[in-house]
Amino acid sequence: MNSAYMELIRIRFLTMLAYRVNYYSGILIYTLNIGVYYFTWQAIYGGQGTLAGFTADQMTTYIAVSWMARAFYFNNLDREIANEIRDGSVAIQFIRPYNYIIVKMMQALGEGCFRLLLFMTPGLIIACLLFPVKLPTDPKLWIIFAWMLFMSFLINTQINIITGLSAFFVENNEGMMRMKRVIVDLFSGVIVPISFFPGWLITLNEWLPFQAITYLPSSVFTGRVPGDEILGVLLVQVVWLVALSIPILWLWRQARQRLFVQGG
């Protein structure tokens, strides 16, 4: 990897470190979210053994892991890109010797590294201390989950880039960004596991990238995916990573042409 891009990761990490108080408060907020969902699901189970393929113990672990995974892969890259398009600073990127899309990905990765070390990891430890979270003991499962979590980050970042680039074509994409956030949280399985959706919605979601962000990694981590099916789940993430690259490249090409036409 080009050393310039590595430097971008380091700079974004240090920048986030300067505002780490916000993330310490974020740990508290995420822990409260986990607590609310934990007690809600305990009431829903009411002593029942299994619901939609989840045992009560699996659901507790799923909740904690899903929200802490979100703490890692979440970023506001769509808003950053939209702001740079609106204020015109994106034009400067065209004369610089690097790819704008890769720059934004590296910046997001720097933020993700910060979130992993100072947000997700301590948050998960706190969740394990407060709630009956049962993490797997198989090292292979941890390695697989780490890779899937990285893929989740990439897929979510791609969706954010697509949303941000839409600012080239609409006067204000604020509503689109808010809608995207709600859709991602809902259809990725953070709010409710996808297996609780009605059958037609589960089928629809299989044709969308959102399940690859949270539901699939968390399902593998909680042991709901048999070992012989894990490779297929990994392949789903790879397919969506490649598929989402196509609209990004197309949007960026169209955006460059639109900028040149309007700006000369």
Side-chain angles (χ1 to χ4, degrees):
M1 185 182 296
N2 190 296
S3 59
Y5 291 131
M6 291 297 294
E7 183 66 12
L8 289 170
I9 296 175
R10 189 185 72 86
I11 292 174
R12 178 56 67 96
F13 183 94
L14 294 177
T15 300
M16 303 307 298
L17 195 61
Y19 298 96
R20 58 187 179 274
V21 174
N22 293 336
Y23 290 90
Y24 294 153
S25 62
I27 293 174
L28 175 61
I29 294 173
Y30 270 67
T31 303
L32 289 175
N33 279 334
I34 293 172
V36 170
Y37 278 90
Y38 167 72
F39 290 113
T40 300
W41 282 107
Q42 288 298 305
I44 292 173
Y45 271 84
Q48 299 183 63
T50 305
L51 288 176
F54 279 87
T55 65
D57 289 341
Q58 284 178 330
M59 180 58 73
T60 300
T61 304
Y62 178 91
I63 292 168
V65 171
S66 295
W67 277 98
M68 286 300 106
R70 185 184 186 277
F72 164 65
Y73 67 67
F74 178 86
N75 60 65
N76 285 310
L77 204 62
D78 49 351
R79 192 172 301 279
E80 287 184 28
I81 294 173
N83 288 339
E84 289 177 0
I85 292 173
R86 280 196 290 266
D87 64 21
S89 60
V90 69
I92 302 174
Q93 310 297 333
F94 286 83
I95 61 176
R96 291 181 174 173
Y98 50 61
N99 185 288
Y100 177 74
I101 300 300
I102 297 179
V103 166
K104 304 314 290 184
M105 290 287 288
M106 293 301 102
Q107 290 176 341
L109 183 57
E111 179 177 345
C113 291
F114 173 86
R115 285 174 166 272
L116 175 66
L117 296 175
L118 297 177
F119 198 161
M120 177 183 172
T121 301
L124 188 58
I125 292 173
I126 293 173
C128 290
L129 293 174
L130 295 178
F131 309 105
V133 177
K134 297 182 179 180
L135 300 178
T137 56
D138 186 355
K140 292 182 181 179
L141 205 54
W142 280 90
I143 294 173
I144 292 172
F145 178 69
W147 171 254
M148 294 189 73
L149 190 61
F150 178 64
M151 294 293 287
S152 297
F153 161 79
L154 293 177
I155 293 171
N156 182 69
T157 300
Q158 286 179 312
I159 294 173
N160 282 348
I161 290 174
I162 292 172
T163 308
L165 290 177
S166 68
F168 271 112
F169 309 97
V170 296
E171 186 173 339
N172 189 337
N173 68 339
E174 183 67 30
M176 186 180 299
M177 289 188 289
R178 292 181 180 179
M179 181 178 67
K180 181 271 307 178
R181 183 173 298 182
V182 172
I183 289 175
V184 169
D185 283 346
L186 178 61
F187 288 97
S188 68
V190 171
I191 298 176
V192 179
I194 294 173
S195 56
F196 282 83
F197 289 4
W200 65 269
L201 194 52
I202 293 177
T203 302
L204 174 62
N205 213 30
E206 290 177 351
W207 293 91
L208 299 173
F210 309 115
Q211 64 169 344
I213 298 175
T214 302
Y215 180 72
L216 294 182
S218 297
S219 293
V220 169
F221 196 60
T222 54
R224 296 188 65 252
V225 179
D228 59 347
E229 296 180 13
I230 291 178
L231 184 60
V233 174
L234 292 171
L235 184 60
V236 170
Q237 287 189 309
V238 173
V239 168
W240 279 115
L241 182 69
V242 175
L244 289 171
S245 299
I246 298 173
I248 288 176
L249 294 175
W250 182 83
L251 281 171
W252 182 238
R253 182 176 180 180
Q254 296 300 312
R256 288 173 63 92
Q257 292 176 351
R258 184 181 180 88
L259 188 64
F260 287 146
V261 169
Q262 291 182 348

